[in-house]
Amino acid sequence: MGRRIRYLRKEKGMTLDDICALVETAPSHLSLVENGKREPKLSLLKSLAAALGVSVDDLLGAEPPSRRAALEIELERAQRGPLYDSLGLPKVRISSRLPMDVLESLVGLQRELEHRLDEQAATPEEARRANTKLREEMRQRNNYYQEIEQEAGRILKAAGHTGGPLSHHRSADIAEYLGFSLRYVGNLPHSTRSVTDLKNHRIYLTQSTRADHDPRSVLLQALGHYVLGHQTPVNYADFLSQRVATNYFAAALMMPEKETTDFLHQAKKERALAVEDIRDAFAVSYESAAHRFTNLATEHLGITCHFQKVHESGILHKAYENDGVNFPADHTGAIEGQTICRYWTSRVVFDVADKFRAFEQFTDTVNGTYWCTARTERHSSGLYSLSIGVPFEHVKWFRGRDTKERCQSKCPDENCCRRPPADLSSTWFGNAWPATRANTHLLAAMPTGAFPGVDETEVYKFLEEQA
């Protein structure tokens, strides 16, 4: 608005003194208005509009009055932004004396810098932002996707599944119902868990000795892409969303909504909810059972909760929450790769001797008291803890609520567990030099391609050989 007033004043060939004599205000005051340092009262706006021969709406217009004004506004906004601040450069005084070519150069440089940073965003940073956005969507939906539940229910009914754990045989029946034949091969491309030949309706799998992935789940996820009508991902966010959807689809087949909710309602009635019971009842992994609990707990039981998968190093691998727990996060809101407080159940469980049964603990945090149940599982990349937690108000429905284990977490206060205790620091500060492990993945950009990390040439050659 200030630039619009200045532009109109100069178009009429008026100085500050000239127009101030008409509107009865001090030139210093109007100068502050024109420079955006002060907002004028409505009475002054009316007087200015009359003196300049325009309407008040004309003065309040959103469009800059000239190209120069647009450049000045863009530069001023850029200099107020975090990117410019991070450069540590002095701010350029924007005035009518600033040459036009200098103004254009400064704005052009700022645009190019932002463009190059955006290009570099195709790195783990892009994945983290996409994951943060997806987690927000999951929180808003309480991690419940009705449309996928309905599709899974329809397919189970059509395939003749009447109850109980979904067997390998029944999983193959589902594939056959959907028109796919299965092929087990020993030369599956190394970057894939399965390859689907959509031309010949074949799904290629491998008989892996690794326990990280349930063979049924791998097959059902492959079918999920087909059933849910997925197209080639257009970006990493699309890829990530599709993966979450197919994981959900597979879980909804292996732990059907009605059976699982009936099971959970009965357990809640008996005040004996337990993730390991879901695992045992449906013959799935503890991690799958924990994920499925988050799908159904809020929608069907009215229980808010959170889930964590934490590496033995204390690094958060993946998580979900709709109960207000204060996960550590960076400035973008991303939580993956952050270090979990060492007093949380997901960290304490690593030091528990009894690995056969679940470990329960109450944790007093800055956001309230939470009860969590956790256990550890070994994967190819190390030992992980898997935990489900709920606010104190919901603990009455769970087995293990009588635990005497309790910890207090003051995170994100660095004095909680980020800094070494004073007695240790006084002894060892300056006298320790750890040799860190070089994690080369931290330096790597996001894998390229529609399916990140997959060598499409290798996949096409594989399919050609099989055909």
Side-chain angles (χ1 to χ4, degrees):
M1 181 177 61
R3 284 177 173 78
R4 184 174 294 277
I5 294 171
R6 179 191 296 158
Y7 174 79
L8 293 171
R9 173 175 63 78
K10 289 189 173 182
E11 262 201 336
K12 287 189 171 294
M14 302 173 72
T15 65
L16 279 172
D17 290 330
D18 293 337
I19 197 166
C20 285
L22 296 175
V23 299
E24 298 182 350
T25 190
S28 59
H29 176 68
L30 186 56
S31 177
L32 290 173
V33 170
E34 289 189 352
N35 288 314
K37 303 286 174 57
R38 183 170 297 173
E39 292 189 6
K41 293 181 179 180
L42 183 58
S43 57
L44 177 57
L45 275 180
K46 289 179 178 178
S47 299
L48 285 168
L52 296 169
V54 297
S55 68
V56 173
D57 287 343
D58 289 332
L59 295 184
L60 297 174
E63 289 298 317
S66 65
R67 183 170 181 273
R68 180 184 177 90
L71 291 172
E72 288 179 351
I73 292 170
E74 186 173 348
L75 181 58
E76 185 172 335
R77 286 176 176 167
Q79 291 187 147
R80 287 203 301 260
L83 174 58
Y84 197 94
D85 281 342
S86 69
L87 299 175
L89 297 174
K91 288 184 170 59
V92 177
R93 186 174 181 273
I94 302 170
S95 70
S96 59
R97 294 188 180 90
L98 187 66
M100 185 66 173
D101 57 346
V102 174
L103 183 60
E104 289 178 328
S105 295
L106 289 171
V107 172
L109 286 170
Q110 179 74 19
R111 289 173 181 171
E112 181 61 22
L113 180 58
E114 290 177 353
H115 172 68
R116 295 194 180 195
L117 288 174
D118 286 342
E119 282 188 335
Q120 293 171 10
T123 62
E125 184 71 16
E126 180 185 1
R128 291 160 68 81
R129 290 183 185 276
N131 211 34
T132 300
K133 185 176 180 180
L134 181 59
R135 197 174 64 253
E136 176 60 30
E137 177 195 316
M138 293 163 67
R139 183 188 300 114
Q140 290 175 355
R141 301 182 63 146
N142 291 321
N143 209 17
Y144 178 76
Y145 290 75
Q146 185 178 26
E147 63 277 15
I148 300 180
E149 298 283 2
Q150 291 173 344
E151 196 62 38
R154 181 187 67 80
I155 290 173
L156 285 169
K157 183 178 180 180
H161 182 66
T162 56
L166 187 72
S167 65
H168 285 66
H169 180 78
R170 187 64 74 192
S171 299
D173 287 346
I174 291 175
E176 184 177 352
Y177 164 73
L178 293 171
F180 285 90
S181 60
L182 307 181
R183 298 286 189 275
Y184 275 93
V185 296
N187 63 331
L188 202 65
H190 74 281
S191 57
T192 63
R193 294 181 192 170
S194 69
V195 174
T196 302
D197 177 352
L198 293 171
K199 182 187 294 185
N200 300 296
H201 274 225
R202 295 174 188 158
I203 297 178
Y204 294 96
L205 305 162
T206 187
Q207 291 180 316
S208 174
T209 57
R210 288 172 52 184
D212 291 15
H213 307 293
D214 188 319
R216 297 170 299 168
S217 183
V218 173
L219 168 60
L220 298 174
Q221 287 169 19
L223 292 170
H225 288 293
Y226 174 77
V227 172
L228 300 175
H230 290 164
Q231 302 297 317
T232 301
V234 296
N235 51 36
Y236 188 79
D238 194 24
F239 165 78
L240 194 61
S241 179
Q242 289 184 8
R243 191 173 71 168
V244 167
T246 54
N247 286 345
Y248 194 111
F249 175 76
L253 290 173
M254 295 170 69
M255 293 163 277
E257 182 176 22
K258 185 178 186 310
E259 283 183 64
T260 310
T261 52
D262 287 347
F263 181 88
L264 291 173
H265 276 302
Q266 183 60 35
K268 184 182 179 184
K269 183 179 179 181
E270 298 171 0
R271 296 178 179 253
L273 285 170
V275 176
E276 57 264 39
D277 288 354
I278 307 172
R279 173 200 63 189
D280 298 340
F282 295 95
V284 295
S285 69
Y286 188 90
E287 182 174 356
S288 295
H291 278 300
R292 192 62 175 143
F293 179 82
T294 67
N295 297 153
L296 305 174
T298 307
E299 180 70 18
H300 291 286
L301 306 179
I303 296 175
T304 56
C305 60
H306 66 268
F307 164 81
Q308 299 176 70
K309 183 175 182 179
V310 177
H311 188 258
E312 57 190 323
S313 62
I315 299 299
L316 186 61
H317 185 70
K318 57 183 175 180
Y320 162 78
E321 61 83 19
N322 69 347
D323 60 359
V325 72
N326 59 317
F327 283 134
D330 65 14
H331 68 286
T332 69
I335 61 177
E336 295 75 21
Q338 299 293 307
T339 302
I340 286 292
C341 177
R342 67 176 64 253
Y343 301 115
W344 282 20
T345 313
S346 54
R347 291 285 302 277
V348 176
V349 67
F350 288 110
D351 298 324
V352 175
D354 183 356
K355 302 295 185 186
F356 190 77
R357 290 174 293 189
F359 170 73
E360 290 87 20
Q361 174 184 289
F362 287 98
T363 309
D364 299 318
T365 76
V366 294
N367 283 16
T369 297
Y370 293 87
W371 173 92
C372 300
T373 177
R375 62 178 301 117
T376 58
E377 285 187 354
R378 186 163 293 281
H379 292 254
S380 57
S381 55
L383 188 65
Y384 289 85
S385 71
L386 303 158
S387 67
I388 285 286
V390 297
F392 183 80
E393 63 190 276
H394 295 310
V395 69
K396 59 187 175 184
W397 309 115
F398 289 81
R399 187 170 69 232
R401 61 186 177 276
D402 56 348
T403 180
K404 304 301 181 187
E405 300 291 340
R406 196 175 197 115
C407 278
Q408 183 179 23
S409 168
K410 297 180 181 178
C411 282
D413 183 348
E414 290 193 353
N415 291 318
C416 176
C417 64
R418 307 291 182 191
R419 295 175 179 171
D423 56 339
L424 287 176
S425 292
S426 64
T427 303
W428 293 106
F429 182 76
N431 295 309
W433 191 277
T436 59
R437 294 186 179 186
N439 295 316
T440 55
H441 68 277
L442 296 176
L443 306 176
M446 280 295 299
T448 57
F451 303 95
V454 173
D455 186 332
E456 292 185 32
T457 301
E458 186 181 10
V459 171
Y460 295 160
K461 284 184 177 179
F462 167 79
L463 290 173
E464 188 68 22
E465 290 169 1
Q466 298 301 321

